[in-house]
Amino acid sequence: MNKSEVSKLLTVASAIDHRSITPEIVNAWHAIVGDVPFDEAQAALIAHRRTRPGVYFEPGHIIEQRKLRIARERELNGPHPAPPPGKRWAADAIENDPQWGSGPGGVQVASLEPPH
């Protein structure tokens, strides 16, 4: 997404939350989400507004939606080994994928097993 598209995305967001848009803000957002295609960022904004009313939209919400999309694609498209009991395969893959994960503990997965 180029800076013009980032500005366009923020303009749409501002129609709801009345945020200010300055060149510095556009630059900051671009540094964080500039590698995300515009249509994907726009879909993330729409999903955010539909599911989190009253929560201020931030760049991390776009990244969060992207991780969810990748997890869904991995779950659907495989091939992949069966997940360990109580784990979701795609969440584990994201956690351990240096491109998308934040290292161990980056993605919290609920276990079906009682704590030890």
Side-chain angles (χ1 to χ4, degrees), residues 1 5-19 21 29 33 36-66:
M1 180 166 45
E5 292 169 325
V6 170
S7 181
K8 183 177 175 181
L9 182 72
L10 291 172
T11 299
V12 172
S14 73
I16 296 170
D17 62 25
H18 310 291
R19 68 181 63 215
I21 304 169
W29 274 69
V33 295
V36 177
F38 177 74
D39 59 338
E40 189 171 346
Q42 189 174 32
L45 172 59
I46 292 167
H48 178 79
R49 290 294 184 214
R50 288 182 176 173
T51 60
R52 294 181 173 169
V55 176
Y56 196 73
F57 184 65
E58 298 182 6
H61 294 119
I62 294 172
I63 303 304
E64 181 180 69
Q65 288 292 320
R66 186 172 216 200

Coordinates of all heavy atoms in Angstrom, one line a residue, residues 1 5-19 21 29 33 36-66:
M1 N 0.9 -1.2 0.0 CA 0.0 0.0 0.0 C 0.9 1.2 0.0 O 1.8 1.3 0.8 CB -0.9 -0.1 1.3 CG -1.8 1.0 1.5 SD -3.1 0.7 2.8 CE -2.2 0.0 4.1
E5 N -2.7 5.6 -0.6 CA -3.7 4.6 -0.2 C -3.8 4.6 1.3 O -4.9 4.4 1.8 CB -3.3 3.2 -0.7 CG -3.4 3.1 -2.2 CD -2.8 1.8 -2.8 OE1 -1.8 1.3 -2.3 OE2 -3.4 1.3 -3.8
V6 N -2.7 4.8 2.0 CA -2.8 4.9 3.5 C -3.7 6.1 3.9 O -4.5 6.0 4.7 CB -1.4 5.0 4.1 CG1 -1.5 5.3 5.6 CG2 -0.6 3.7 4.0
S7 N -3.4 7.2 3.2 CA -4.2 8.4 3.5 C -5.7 8.1 3.2 O -6.6 8.6 3.9 CB -3.7 9.5 2.6 OG -4.4 10.7 2.9
K8 N -6.0 7.5 2.1 CA -7.4 7.1 1.7 C -8.0 6.3 2.8 O -9.2 6.5 3.2 CB -7.4 6.4 0.4 CG -8.7 6.1 -0.2 CD -8.6 5.5 -1.6 CE -10.0 5.0 -2.1 NZ -9.8 4.4 -3.4
L9 N -7.3 5.3 3.3 CA -7.8 4.4 4.3 C -8.1 5.2 5.6 O -9.1 5.0 6.2 CB -6.8 3.3 4.6 CG -7.2 2.3 5.7 CD1 -8.3 1.3 5.1 CD2 -6.0 1.5 6.2
L10 N -7.2 6.1 6.0 CA -7.4 6.9 7.2 C -8.5 7.9 7.0 O -9.2 8.2 8.0 CB -6.1 7.6 7.5 CG -4.9 6.7 8.0 CD1 -3.6 7.5 8.2 CD2 -5.3 6.0 9.3
T11 N -8.7 8.3 5.8 CA -9.9 9.2 5.5 C -11.2 8.5 5.8 O -12.1 9.1 6.4 CB -9.8 9.8 4.1 OG1 -8.6 10.5 3.9 CG2 -11.0 10.7 3.8
V12 N -11.3 7.3 5.3 CA -12.5 6.5 5.6 C -12.6 6.3 7.1 O -13.7 6.4 7.7 CB -12.4 5.1 4.9 CG1 -13.5 4.2 5.3 CG2 -12.4 5.3 3.4
A13 N -11.5 5.9 7.8 CA -11.6 5.7 9.3 C -12.0 7.0 9.9 O -12.8 7.0 10.9 CB -10.3 5.3 9.8
S14 N -11.6 8.2 9.5 CA -11.9 9.4 10.1 C -13.4 9.8 10.0 O -13.9 10.6 10.7 CB -11.0 10.6 9.6 OG -11.4 10.9 8.3
A15 N -14.0 9.3 8.9 CA -15.4 9.5 8.8 C -16.2 9.0 10.0 O -17.3 9.5 10.3 CB -16.0 8.9 7.5
I16 N -15.7 8.0 10.6 CA -16.4 7.4 11.8 C -15.8 8.0 13.1 O -16.6 8.3 14.0 CB -16.2 5.9 11.8 CG1 -17.0 5.4 10.5 CG2 -16.8 5.3 13.0 CD1 -16.7 3.9 10.2
D17 N -14.5 8.1 13.2 CA -13.9 8.5 14.5 C -13.3 9.9 14.6 O -12.8 10.3 15.6 CB -12.9 7.4 15.0 CG -11.7 7.3 14.0 OD1 -11.4 8.3 13.3 OD2 -11.1 6.2 14.0
H18 N -13.4 10.6 13.5 CA -13.0 12.0 13.5 C -11.6 12.2 13.8 O -11.2 13.3 14.3 CB -13.9 12.9 14.4 CG -15.4 12.7 14.2 ND1 -16.0 13.0 13.1 CD2 -16.3 12.0 15.0 CE1 -17.3 12.7 13.2 NE2 -17.5 12.0 14.4
R19 N -10.7 11.3 13.4 CA -9.3 11.4 13.7 C -8.7 12.5 12.8 O -9.2 12.8 11.7 CB -8.6 10.1 13.4 CG -8.6 9.6 12.0 CD -7.9 8.3 11.8 NE -8.6 7.2 12.5 CZ -8.0 6.2 13.0 NH1 -6.7 6.0 13.0 NH2 -8.7 5.3 13.6
I21 N -5.6 13.6 10.3 CA -4.7 13.0 9.3 C -3.7 14.0 8.9 O -4.0 15.0 8.3 CB -5.5 12.4 8.1 CG1 -6.6 11.5 8.5 CG2 -4.5 11.7 7.1 CD1 -7.6 11.1 7.4
W29 N 1.8 5.3 9.8 CA 1.0 4.1 9.4 C 1.7 3.4 8.3 O 1.7 2.2 8.3 CB -0.4 4.6 9.0 CG -1.3 4.7 10.1 CD1 -1.3 5.6 11.1 CD2 -2.5 3.9 10.4 NE1 -2.4 5.4 12.0 CE2 -3.1 4.4 11.5 CE3 -3.0 2.8 9.7 CZ2 -4.3 3.8 12.0 CZ3 -4.2 2.3 10.2 CH2 -4.8 2.8 11.4
V33 N 2.2 -0.6 8.1 CA 1.4 -1.4 7.3 C 1.5 -1.2 5.8 O 0.7 -1.6 5.0 CB -0.1 -1.3 7.6 CG1 -0.4 -1.8 9.0 CG2 -0.6 0.2 7.5
V36 N 1.1 -4.1 3.3 CA -0.2 -4.8 3.2 C -0.9 -4.2 2.0 O -1.0 -3.0 1.9 CB -1.1 -4.5 4.5 CG1 -2.4 -5.1 4.4 CG2 -0.3 -5.1 5.7
P37 N -1.5 -5.0 1.1 CA -2.3 -4.5 0.0 C -3.5 -3.7 0.5 O -4.1 -4.0 1.5 CB -2.7 -5.8 -0.7 CG -1.8 -6.8 -0.3 CD -1.4 -6.5 1.1
F38 N -3.8 -2.6 -0.3 CA -4.9 -1.7 0.1 C -6.2 -2.4 0.3 O -6.9 -2.2 1.3 CB -5.1 -0.6 -0.9 CG -6.2 0.3 -0.6 CD1 -6.1 1.2 0.4 CD2 -7.4 0.2 -1.3 CE1 -7.2 2.1 0.7 CE2 -8.5 1.0 -1.0 CZ -8.4 1.9 0.0
D39 N -6.5 -3.4 -0.6 CA -7.8 -4.0 -0.4 C -7.9 -4.9 0.9 O -8.9 -5.0 1.5 CB -8.2 -4.9 -1.6 CG -7.1 -6.0 -1.9 OD1 -6.0 -5.8 -1.5 OD2 -7.5 -6.9 -2.6
E40 N -6.8 -5.4 1.3 CA -6.7 -6.2 2.5 C -6.8 -5.3 3.7 O -7.5 -5.6 4.7 CB -5.4 -7.0 2.6 CG -5.4 -8.0 3.7 CD -4.2 -8.9 3.7 OE1 -3.5 -9.0 2.6 OE2 -4.0 -9.6 4.7
A41 N -6.2 -4.1 3.7 CA -6.3 -3.1 4.8 C -7.7 -2.6 4.9 O -8.3 -2.4 6.0 CB -5.3 -2.0 4.5
Q42 N -8.3 -2.3 3.7 CA -9.7 -1.9 3.7 C -10.7 -2.9 4.3 O -11.5 -2.6 5.1 CB -10.1 -1.5 2.3 CG -11.4 -0.8 2.2 CD -11.7 -0.4 0.7 OE1 -11.3 -1.0 -0.2 NE2 -12.3 0.8 0.6
A43 N -10.5 -4.2 4.0 CA -11.3 -5.2 4.5 C -11.1 -5.3 6.0 O -12.0 -5.6 6.8 CB -10.9 -6.6 3.8
A44 N -9.8 -5.1 6.5 CA -9.6 -5.1 7.9 C -10.3 -4.0 8.6 O -10.8 -4.2 9.7 CB -8.0 -5.0 8.2
L45 N -10.3 -2.8 8.0 CA -11.0 -1.7 8.6 C -12.5 -2.0 8.7 O -13.2 -1.8 9.8 CB -10.8 -0.4 7.8 CG -11.7 0.8 8.1 CD1 -11.4 1.2 9.6 CD2 -11.4 1.9 7.2
I46 N -13.1 -2.6 7.7 CA -14.5 -2.9 7.7 C -14.8 -4.0 8.8 O -15.7 -3.8 9.6 CB -15.0 -3.4 6.3 CG1 -14.9 -2.2 5.3 CG2 -16.4 -4.1 6.4 CD1 -15.1 -2.6 3.9
A47 N -14.0 -5.0 8.8 CA -14.1 -6.1 9.8 C -14.0 -5.5 11.2 O -14.8 -5.8 12.1 CB -13.1 -7.2 9.6
H48 N -13.1 -4.6 11.4 CA -12.9 -4.0 12.7 C -14.1 -3.2 13.1 O -14.6 -3.3 14.3 CB -11.6 -3.1 12.7 CG -11.4 -2.3 14.0 ND1 -10.8 -3.0 15.1 CD2 -11.7 -1.1 14.4 CE1 -10.8 -2.1 16.1 NE2 -11.3 -0.9 15.7
R49 N -14.6 -2.4 12.3 CA -15.8 -1.5 12.6 C -17.0 -2.3 12.8 O -17.9 -2.0 13.6 CB -16.1 -0.5 11.4 CG -15.0 0.5 11.3 CD -15.0 1.4 12.5 NE -14.1 2.5 12.4 CZ -13.4 3.1 13.3 NH1 -13.6 2.6 14.6 NH2 -12.6 4.0 13.1
R50 N -17.1 -3.5 12.2 CA -18.3 -4.3 12.4 C -18.2 -5.1 13.7 O -19.3 -5.4 14.3 CB -18.5 -5.3 11.2 CG -18.9 -4.7 10.0 CD -19.1 -5.7 8.9 NE -19.6 -5.0 7.7 CZ -19.7 -5.6 6.5 NH1 -19.4 -6.9 6.4 NH2 -20.2 -5.0 5.5
T51 N -17.0 -5.5 14.1 CA -16.9 -6.3 15.3 C -16.4 -5.7 16.6 O -16.5 -6.2 17.6 CB -15.9 -7.5 15.0 OG1 -14.7 -7.0 14.7 CG2 -16.5 -8.4 13.8
R52 N -15.9 -4.5 16.5 CA -15.4 -3.8 17.6 C -15.8 -2.3 17.7 O -15.0 -1.4 17.6 CB -13.8 -3.8 17.6 CG -13.3 -5.2 17.7 CD -11.8 -5.1 17.7 NE -11.2 -6.4 18.0 CZ -9.9 -6.7 17.9 NH1 -9.1 -5.8 17.5 NH2 -9.5 -7.9 18.2
P53 N -17.1 -2.1 17.9 CA -17.6 -0.8 17.9 C -17.0 0.0 19.1 O -16.8 -0.6 20.2 CB -19.1 -0.9 18.1 CG -19.3 -2.3 18.6 CD -18.2 -3.1 18.1
G54 N -16.6 1.2 18.8 CA -16.1 2.1 19.9 C -14.6 1.9 20.1 O -14.0 2.6 20.9
V55 N -14.0 0.9 19.5 CA -12.5 0.7 19.6 C -11.8 1.4 18.5 O -12.0 1.2 17.3 CB -12.2 -0.8 19.6 CG1 -10.7 -1.1 19.7 CG2 -12.9 -1.6 20.7
Y56 N -10.9 2.3 18.9 CA -10.1 3.1 18.0 C -9.3 2.2 17.0 O -8.5 1.4 17.5 CB -9.3 4.1 18.7 CG -8.7 5.2 17.9 CD1 -9.6 6.3 17.5 CD2 -7.4 5.3 17.6 CE1 -9.1 7.4 16.8 CE2 -6.9 6.4 16.9 CZ -7.7 7.4 16.5 OH -7.2 8.5 15.8
F57 N -9.4 2.4 15.7 CA -8.7 1.6 14.7 C -7.2 2.0 14.7 O -6.9 3.2 14.5 CB -9.4 1.8 13.4 CG -8.8 1.0 12.3 CD1 -8.9 -0.4 12.3 CD2 -8.2 1.6 11.2 CE1 -8.4 -1.1 11.2 CE2 -7.7 0.9 10.1 CZ -7.8 -0.5 10.2
E58 N -6.4 1.0 14.8 CA -4.9 1.2 14.8 C -4.2 0.3 13.8 O -4.8 -0.7 13.4 CB -4.4 1.0 16.2 CG -4.9 1.9 17.2 CD -4.3 1.7 18.6 OE1 -3.4 0.9 18.8 OE2 -4.8 2.4 19.5
P59 N -3.0 0.6 13.4 CA -2.3 -0.3 12.5 C -2.3 -1.8 12.9 O -2.3 -2.7 12.0 CB -0.9 0.3 12.4 CG -1.0 1.7 12.9 CD -2.2 1.7 13.8
G60 N -2.1 -2.0 14.2 CA -2.1 -3.4 14.6 C -3.3 -4.2 14.3 O -3.3 -5.4 14.2
H61 N -4.4 -3.5 14.2 CA -5.7 -4.2 13.8 C -5.6 -4.8 12.4 O -6.2 -5.8 12.1 CB -6.9 -3.3 14.0 CG -7.1 -2.9 15.4 ND1 -7.1 -1.6 15.8 CD2 -7.4 -3.6 16.5 CE1 -7.4 -1.5 17.1 NE2 -7.5 -2.8 17.5
I62 N -4.9 -4.1 11.5 CA -4.7 -4.6 10.2 C -3.8 -5.8 10.2 O -4.1 -6.9 9.6 CB -4.1 -3.5 9.3 CG1 -5.1 -2.4 9.1 CG2 -3.7 -4.1 7.9 CD1 -4.5 -1.2 8.4
I63 N -2.8 -5.8 11.0 CA -1.8 -6.9 11.1 C -2.6 -8.1 11.7 O -2.4 -9.2 11.3 CB -0.6 -6.5 11.9 CG1 0.1 -5.3 11.3 CG2 0.3 -7.7 12.1 CD1 0.5 -5.5 9.8
E64 N -3.4 -7.8 12.7 CA -4.2 -8.9 13.4 C -5.1 -9.6 12.4 O -5.2 -10.8 12.4 CB -5.0 -8.2 14.5 CG -5.8 -9.2 15.3 CD -6.6 -8.5 16.4 OE1 -7.5 -7.7 16.1 OE2 -6.2 -8.6 17.6
Q65 N -5.8 -8.8 11.6 CA -6.7 -9.4 10.6 C -5.9 -10.2 9.6 O -6.4 -11.2 9.1 CB -7.5 -8.3 9.9 CG -8.6 -7.7 10.8 CD -9.7 -8.7 11.1 OE1 -10.1 -9.4 10.3 NE2 -10.1 -8.6 12.3
R66 N -4.7 -9.7 9.2 CA -3.9 -10.4 8.2 C -3.5 -11.8 8.8 O -3.5 -12.8 8.1 CB -2.7 -9.6 7.9 CG -1.8 -10.2 6.8 CD -0.8 -9.2 6.4 NE -0.6 -9.3 4.9 CZ 0.4 -9.0 4.3 NH1 1.4 -8.4 4.9 NH2 0.5 -9.2 3.0

